Structure formats: structure tokens, C-alpha cells
Amino acid sequence: MVFSSNIFLFAFLPLFLATYYCMPMRGRSALILLFSYVFYAWWRPDFLSLLVGVTVLTYAIALVMDYTQDAAKRYRVLFAGVALNLCALAYFKYANFGIDSLNTALLALGFTRIEFTHVLLPIGLSFYIFHAISYLVDIYRREAPPARNLVDFAAFIALFPHLVAGPVLRYHLLAEQFRSRTHTLEKFSQGCVIFMVGFCKKVLIADTVAPLADAAFAAPIPTMADAWLGAVAYTIQLFFDFSGYTDMAIGLALMIGFVFPENFNDPYTSRSITEFWKRWHMSLSNWLREYLYVSLGGNRKGVVRTYINLFLTMLLGGLWHGANWTFVLWGAWHGGILALERYWLERFKRPLLPAWLGVIKTMLLVMIGWVMFRAVNLASAGNMFAGMLGMHGLGFSPEVSWQVSADRVGVLVVGIALVYAMPWLRKNKGAYGRYLLVPLFVWAVATLSSQSFTPFLYFQF
Amino acid sequence: MSNPSTEALPKAGLVFQHHHFAAGCFSIAMLAGAWQVAQSVVKVEWDKLPNTVLDFREGRLTGTLEKKIDHQMPLRPTLIAYANAGRYMITGGGGDQVRIGEDNWLFLTEELRFEKDAQAHLNARVDMLASAAQQLKAQGIPLVIALVPDKARIYAQHLGYASYPDFNASRYSQSLDLLRKKGVPTVDLLTALSQGAAQNEVYYRTDTHWNQEGGSIAAKAIANEVKKLAIDAEITTFQTLETGPRTERPGDIIRLMSLDTVPAALRPRSDFEVPVATRQSSKDASGGLFGEASVPIVLIGTSYSMRGNFAGYLQEALSLKVLNAAKEGGGFLQAATTYFGDDSFKQNKPKLIVWEVPERFLYSKLEKENTWVQDVGLTQK
């Protein structure tokens, strides 16, 4: 089920909220679990068994780990638990990619290819596997006690606001809220507002500029105008789509008393890539730092290992997004820049550029990264870069020009303006926004009816 | 480590002091929507949903059910209309299928789109038309193609910030040349309509099609071509008369934008016209009835043949009866496929066939053009 759908907004959510608030506190985890499973199974009921399997197995392993006193044994149990979760992720997410890459190599060497039935990627798998790993590691590190029962734990994994596309939550930050949390009108109202803002971001901005990005990335020989339009449009689309989604997730959680950490903090105003990763998809950055970078040794094993760990974390973070060399390249791009920026700062003790120039430089680097991220393969990414350099001509190509309409470009400009005006608006003129929210939300709900199905971009990861 | 429950509540963009009001509106919207869903669920024909275990397991049951609920919500058409009106009023956008021009001129994006294999599609269709013309000629039936130019070509100056795309600039003349080179009599409606457009509007502003002025001009241009073929048929005279007062006519592009039900202030200004109809003004010498064996000319084609009194004007310009066998919304082939497969063609051969073809249809994705002449049985006679 998708947050921006009639069935969610007008059937699932009211029914859930009504029963949730009628239910005594002790039954609420079970209710969340039941509704979350319906939410998940609406896409494909058969993959619910995988979610249940991962949940039960992880819960059992954590119990064993918690009862084990011997440190070495505890580590082995943790290792087995994390490995099993990663095996599930590897099979469903990377088997096709691995076999396809192997077949390419085999064919190049003159061997016959391996026959293989492609595996369907269960929606949200990457997210709930990360949640399960977070639980295991937190119990291992004794940062949180094990869930008091399977229902609480299953509800943490399946909690529908974050189930299919995050934010990626660390168990120890949410454990206490499963035990007790407050429900106030203030929280509920704030949640509604945050949800409405996210809904408008997705439906009114991200979905409107999407055709521009789609057209540019589909152009066989993108010109300079095509490629830059595509890069800018995708940069805006991805931000409003994903931050819109997480706003909705945060808002929904707040409606039932959960406080999720923020996931975006004006990332496109960052002055460096290092700062960008402190502001973009913060829950993933934190997860990667806490469970991957630290586990790799972080900065505790010398200068060289620190750089290698930084690079590896981003490379694996890139691969987590999808089984494609484009994501590996994107991860390497960001990992490489992070390492360079760290080196520069340690060597010269000051940023490379003044703040305003730093923002422009960061945006350019981020956009180049998004091109790799959006392209269907490396050749397509190379083709877009050639276009951005003007190697295929300057003006719009026929494939793109007919899709460039004034309203789409207008919304793109509004999107760009909002990205940069938002920090100032929030501080100074935020109150005026209240007059716009309700009409914009009504318009977005109406627009939803006239659109075909538009899933969130992060559903594919 | 900080406990998030004690942290400040997250912000999502603007800070709203009146969030309770917004939350109230949100709750009302949810309840109103729930009422809509309930009304829609009642209408679902459960026995027509995918009902195997596999359908359920693989999500086809829930997917179809969701689509049905969405589409049957009673307020859906109204919501779409007002959402599109909002988009039109605020951003000037017309959706994926419509390009908004200046002064209430509306265009189909289909006329502006880039077709990747356009040349191959054109060649295939020209070959098909040439083959059809040859087969019909062998049966003693001349075929005349009336090539309808894009509205966006004739009224490119009203496209606003955009222009008629260069990649389509020569496709009308190229189509005309190719068809004529293959020996298919083809009427150049572009010249006639462009000359007409210098005097009066020849297409509706809010509709894809030509208006009565354009229909009349096109009919005369076709008649000039047909007269050269000296058709031996009974002359019948026709007269076109006004049938009512000047009335508002929201065009099909307004309907495509789903704005036909919103107040006029929220949509582009409609066209106005005085309705006319063409009636026979002479008596039949042979006593045959319209639509029977005595109809000498058959018109096949698209919705253009059903707008702007074109078929009526064609009868008047030709002084011959015309059977209008065009089809609405059937694309390039449907009317011809239906007509050539019908007994009226097999039993009563016409003296001539006029095939009205919008230029964009020659370039669009192919259907069954490569085998069409055989499929409809034109080669067997």
C-alpha cells in the first residue's frame, strides 16, 4: 500500500486510527502489527511470509544471544544472525545482479551462460533487514534490552510508517517508545500537519517534475540542455519525493505517539559532501555510521584504515540502494569525495571554498552523483555526462523538447526556490504557510485522483 | 544517547501554529474519503475480481480491488475536474495530453510529440495506402486521401512559449509527396486551410478539430480534386442552413482536461458557434434512399469527418451523396477496417472513396498496417 493512495488515506488510515485509539495500551502493539501486515500484504500477500520469517528468526536469535553469557559465543550468535539476514538480502536483492554479471563475464570468456530464473525483490526488504540487524547489534551491545515479547518486536519491524521505505531506525532509539509513549492532541495534530506537508511535496512537486527527468534520462543522445534539465529535475524530484515520503512516515508515527528522528535537514544547502551526508537521509547515514563504519573499525585503526573504512561504508551504502554498478559507482563517488574532504580538512584545517561557493560546488557534485544514481546502467550515465559536457549539442533534442511544458518548468523552479528559501521561511515567515497548507492538501488529494499510480522512488530500494 | 521522545518534535518545512485547525481539516477529509470508499465498495462486483489462490498470493486481487474502489468513488470525476482546474489556474498546465497556448488556444501534445520511428511508420502506411488504392482501382473505385494538417501546424503562432517542433516541420509535405509519388490521389488541405486561416478561424480553439469554416474549406478542396476524376453519378444538390442560435461549445480538449463540468471561469473560454446542418434540396431522380445502393461517395476516416459539418459540406461541394462511414476515436484503421468488412461495401460498391487521414496518424505507432490490405480482403476481389 502506498501512503499517497485513496485506499490508504480513506480506508486504511481512518480505520486504523479509530481502532487504535479505542484499543487499550496493552493491545496496541498487536493492533499495529495486524494493520502493518495488512499494509504490507496489500502489495503481495505471499511475501508476508518472508517478513514474518525474518522477524521470528531474528527475535529467536536475539533471545539466544541475550541468554548467552560467554562473550565469544555471543559474538558467534550475533554473526550468525547478521549473516542470515544478509543472506536473505543477498538472495532477493543481489542474486539477479550477481548471476547477470557472472554471465557477462562467462560469455566474454567464451563459456555458456548459467540459466537462472530472476528473483522478484520483496518491497521494503532492504529496510526491514536493516531494522532486524539493528535489533541484533543493539541487543549484542546491550544498548537496549530485548523486546518484552515477540509482538512488540514484530511491531517494531513491521511498523507501517517505516516498513517499506524507512526512515531506517535504530532499535535502541525506539525500544522505549514501544514500552511507553504518550498520546496527545498536540502530537496528533503535529503529525497530521507533517503528513500533509509530505503529501503535498510528493504529489504537487515530485510527481509534476518527474516527466522532465524521465524524458531526459530516456533520451538516446541527450544534449547539454537535456542532460542538465534531467539532472536538475531529478535532483528536485528525488528530494521532494523522498523527503515527502519521510515526512508522511514521521507524521503517521506521531499520530500514534511515536517520535521518529528527522531524516532531512535542508541537505541541498550543505557546503560540503561531508555536511550533505549529515543532512540527507540522516537515518541511513546514522545507521551506516553506527553499524557499518564503527564495525569496520571506524577511525580507531589508524589514518589509512579510516579512509578505507569511510570509502567502504559509502561503497556498501551505494550497493544497498540497488543491485547495479551505477549504485556502486555512486557510492564510490561519495566515498571518494568524503575521504578527500577529510584529508583536506585535516591537512589545512579550513574548508576548500568560501561558504557560498561551497554550496554551489556541493550541489554540482551531488547532481553528478544523482546522474549515476538515476541512470539505468553505466553506459547511460556516461551518455548523460557526455550530454552535460555538451558533446551531443546544446539545445533540447526532439525527444525531450516536446515534454518541456511551462507548468512543469514552473513547478521545478518553485521546487528549487523552496529548497533554498525554506530555512529562511522557517525562521521568518513560517506562520504564513498555515494559510496555504489546507488548500494545497485538498488540491493534492484531488490531483491524486487524476494521476495514475506513482510509487515513491525509494520503494525500489 | 538522547531519547527521541524527549527531543523536540520534528519539523517538516514550515512551522504551523494553527496545526489543530489543519489536523481538523485532515480528519474531516479522512472521514469524507472513508464515506466515498464505502460507497464505492458497495458497487464492487466481487465475483468479477481475480479469484484464484495465485491471484490472491501475487497481489492481483488486492490490486484490482484497489483500482475498482478508486474508479468508483462517486466524487472522483468532480475531484479530477477541480484538481485540473486548479492546475490550469495556478500553473497554466493542461496535463500530459494537452498543451495550453495563448488566447485560449488548446493543442494536443500528440501533435507535438517526437516519434522515434516516424519515418518507418510513414513508409509502411504510405505503402499500405498505395496498395489499397491500387486494389480499389482494379475494382473501379478511385481512392482519394484527404490529408488533415495538425492544428498546431496551422496555428503555431498561438502555441505560446513553445513553437511547432522542427522535427515535424516537413512531415506534412513529405507525406503528401510520398503518397502522390506512389500514385495515390491526395488532397493538400494544408494550403487550403492555411489560406482560410488568414481570413477566419478554421479550427476550434478548444477542440482538436476543424470548425465549420475549416470543414467547409476542406470539403471544397476535396471536391476540386474529386471533380477532376469525373465521377459518373446522379447529381444531387444540397443546402446548408442554420439550425439554431449561437451556442457555447466546449471542445474535446476541454473534456480531455476534465474541465467540461467546472464553472466557465475555471477553464479556458469555450468556442461559440451557430449550429448548421446540410439537407438535400433536390429530389432523387432514381428514387433511392440515402444510405442505400445509390450513394456514390463513401467517406471513411476519423472524428474530423464528424466535426464542423464537414460531411455535409462535402455533399454540398460535390453535389453528390456521401455516406459517412468515419469512426470516432478509432485511430487510423478502424473506420476503413469496418467499412471494407461490411456488406454495404461488398454488395454496393461506391463510385469513389474519400479517406480522411490526420497527418499525425501516419507517424504514430503501427498497428496491423503491413498485412492490412490482405486482412480486410481487398486483394481477393
Side-chain angles (χ1 to χ4, degrees), chain B residues 55-290:
Chain B
D55 287 331
F56 172 73
R57 280 178 46 195
E58 296 183 348
R60 280 186 290 278
L61 171 61
T62 47
T64 311
L65 178 62
E66 182 172 347
K67 207 171 280 179
K68 294 247 180 241
I69 291 173
D70 266 355
H71 285 215
Q72 291 174 174
M73 283 168 63
L75 258 181
R76 185 171 183 267
T78 312
L79 280 176
I80 293 175
Y82 281 91
N84 291 356
R87 180 182 57 201
Y88 170 71
M89 299 297 287
I90 295 167
T91 71
D96 289 343
Q97 299 180 80
V98 177
R99 184 61 53 89
I100 310 287
E102 291 169 343
D103 301 329
N104 298 305
W105 283 92
L106 308 179
F107 300 90
L108 284 182
T109 46
E110 200 182 335
E111 294 186 345
L112 308 169
R113 72 180 296 153
F114 177 77
E115 193 66 56
K116 204 172 83 181
D117 299 315
Q119 193 60 47
H121 298 167
L122 172 67
N123 292 340
R125 289 206 171 90
V126 168
D127 286 346
M128 188 209 94
L129 289 171
S131 173
Q134 207 173 13
Q135 297 297 332
L136 287 167
K137 194 175 177 184
Q139 297 175 47
I141 309 168
L143 174 69
V144 171
I145 302 293
L147 193 58
V148 182
D150 285 340
K151 174 181 170 182
R153 178 187 297 285
I154 293 184
Y155 287 104
Q157 75 274 23
H158 293 302
L159 273 166
Y161 70 94
S163 55
Y164 190 72
D166 289 343
F167 52 82
N168 283 347
S170 62
R171 77 177 184 185
Y172 189 93
S173 56
Q174 194 195 3
S175 309
L176 199 64
D177 290 348
L178 268 177
L179 282 163
R180 285 176 174 174
K181 269 184 197 156
K182 292 269 183 178
V184 186
T186 307
V187 187
D188 174 10
L189 294 180
L190 176 61
T191 305
L193 287 167
S194 298
Q195 286 167 357
Q199 312 298 321
N200 289 303
E201 289 177 5
V202 294
Y203 280 72
Y204 295 112
R205 291 190 183 209
T206 63
D207 197 293
T208 319
H209 305 93
W210 48 40
N211 59 15
Q212 291 169 3
E213 179 74 16
S216 168
I217 290 170
K220 283 172 190 156
I222 294 166
N224 288 339
E225 191 73 26
V226 170
K227 279 172 187 167
K228 291 179 196 164
L229 300 172
I231 301 299
D232 176 24
E234 181 186 328
I235 298 292
T236 312
T237 56
F238 292 87
Q239 194 177 12
T240 301
L241 297 168
E242 294 178 1
T243 57
R246 187 170 180 268
T247 49
E248 186 178 5
R249 184 188 183 284
D252 64 351
I253 304 184
I254 286 189
R255 278 201 302 281
L256 202 59
M257 293 164 74
S258 304
L259 298 184
D260 46 321
T261 55
V262 302
L266 300 179
R267 66 184 192 207
R269 197 177 62 245
S270 300
D271 294 279
F272 283 82
E273 72 175 5
V274 176
V276 296
T278 300
R279 306 265 183 259
Q280 187 175 329
S281 56
S282 64
K283 285 188 178 172
D284 291 324
S286 57
L289 292 172
F290 187 84

Side-chain angles (χ1 to χ4, degrees), chain A residues 42 46 189 402 405 408 426, chain B residues 13 20 57 62 66 96 99:
Chain A
W42 194 259
D46 52 359
S189 298
W402 73 272
S405 61
R408 286 173 183 160
R426 209 180 284 126
Chain B
H20 295 314
R57 280 178 46 195
T62 47
E66 182 172 347
D96 289 343
R99 184 61 53 89

Side-chain angles (χ1 to χ4, degrees), chain A residues 37 45 49 52 58 61 74 108 136 144 173 191 205 212 219 225 234 238 269 315 326 349 354 357 382 395-396:
Chain A
Y37 279 171
S49 53
V52 174
T58 303
I61 290 170
R74 288 187 85 239
L136 288 171
L173 292 181
I205 298 185
L212 295 175
Y234 186 65
L238 186 62
T269 60
L315 193 76
T326 52
K349 311 290 182 206
L357 213 52
F396 285 116

Side-chain angles (χ1 to χ4, degrees), chain A residues 144-427:
Chain A
R148 58 184 173 180
N149 55 49
L150 178 60
V151 172
D152 263 9
F153 173 66
F156 159 71
I157 294 284
L159 186 62
F160 70 85
H162 72 61
L163 175 60
V164 291
V168 188
L169 299 172
R170 289 167 293 163
Y171 176 70
H172 66 267
L173 292 181
L174 218 61
E176 184 53 35
Q177 296 188 53
F178 269 95
R179 290 172 196 277
S180 79
R181 59 187 178 276
T182 57
H183 297 84
T184 62
L185 182 62
E186 183 70 18
K187 264 186 169 179
F188 182 83
S189 298
Q190 286 270 19
C192 291
V193 168
I194 296 170
F195 181 89
M196 289 161 86
V197 170
F199 190 84
C200 293
K201 280 182 175 178
K202 158 72 177 163
V203 176
L204 298 180
I205 298 185
D207 289 351
T208 306
V209 301
L212 295 175
D214 294 345
F217 278 90
I221 308 170
T223 62
M224 196 176 206
D226 295 345
W228 279 102
L229 176 75
V232 172
Y234 186 65
T235 300
I236 293 301
Q237 183 201 354
L238 186 62
F239 173 68
F240 281 94
D241 187 283
F242 192 27
S243 73
Y245 175 84
T246 44
D247 284 347
M248 284 190 249
I250 290 168
L252 287 167
L254 208 51
M255 287 182 209
I256 51 172
F258 287 98
V259 181
F260 283 4
E262 282 190 63
N263 210 21
F264 292 87
N265 183 19
D266 302 321
Y268 290 159
T269 60
S270 306
R271 285 159 296 181
S272 65
I273 291 295
T274 310
E275 188 186 345
F276 175 76
W277 280 106
K278 289 176 183 165
R279 291 164 168 267
W280 175 273
H281 203 173
M282 288 144 70
S283 63
L284 178 68
S285 316
N286 290 336
W287 196 99
L288 290 174
R289 188 183 61 238
E290 196 151 325
Y291 299 115
L292 186 57
Y293 180 69
V294 170
S295 301
L296 287 169
N299 53 7
R300 303 185 307 276
K301 297 193 173 179
V303 177
V304 177
R305 271 297 295 273
T306 301
Y307 287 116
I308 291 173
N309 289 343
L310 202 55
F311 183 78
L312 264 181
T313 302
M314 293 311 292
L315 193 76
L316 292 172
L319 190 61
W320 171 84
H321 280 85
N324 194 328
W325 290 109
T326 52
F327 292 117
V328 178
L329 188 66
W330 174 77
W333 171 254
H334 277 276
I337 298 170
L338 281 179
L340 278 176
E341 285 184 351
R342 189 184 179 98
Y343 171 77
W344 180 276
L345 214 58
E346 283 184 356
R347 176 88 192 265
F348 300 102
K349 311 290 182 206
R350 62 175 173 80
L352 173 66
L353 296 169
W356 67 272
L357 213 52
V359 173
I360 295 172
K361 174 213 75 177
T362 305
M363 270 321 296
L364 277 175
L365 295 175
V366 166
M367 277 201 286
I368 290 169
W370 288 147
V371 170
M372 301 171 204
F373 194 83
R374 169 65 173 76
V376 290
N377 52 40
L378 291 180
S380 172
N383 205 20
M384 279 293 279
F385 289 134
M388 288 168 91
L389 291 171
M391 290 162 73
H392 302 146
L394 302 179
F396 285 116
S397 69
E399 290 91 339
V400 175
S401 64
W402 73 272
Q403 303 200 58
V404 182
S405 61
D407 56 317
R408 286 173 183 160
V409 174
V411 172
L412 179 62
V413 171
V414 169
I416 295 169
L418 278 177
V419 161
Y420 291 102
M422 196 53 81
W424 181 85
L425 278 174
R426 209 180 284 126
K427 265 188 214 157

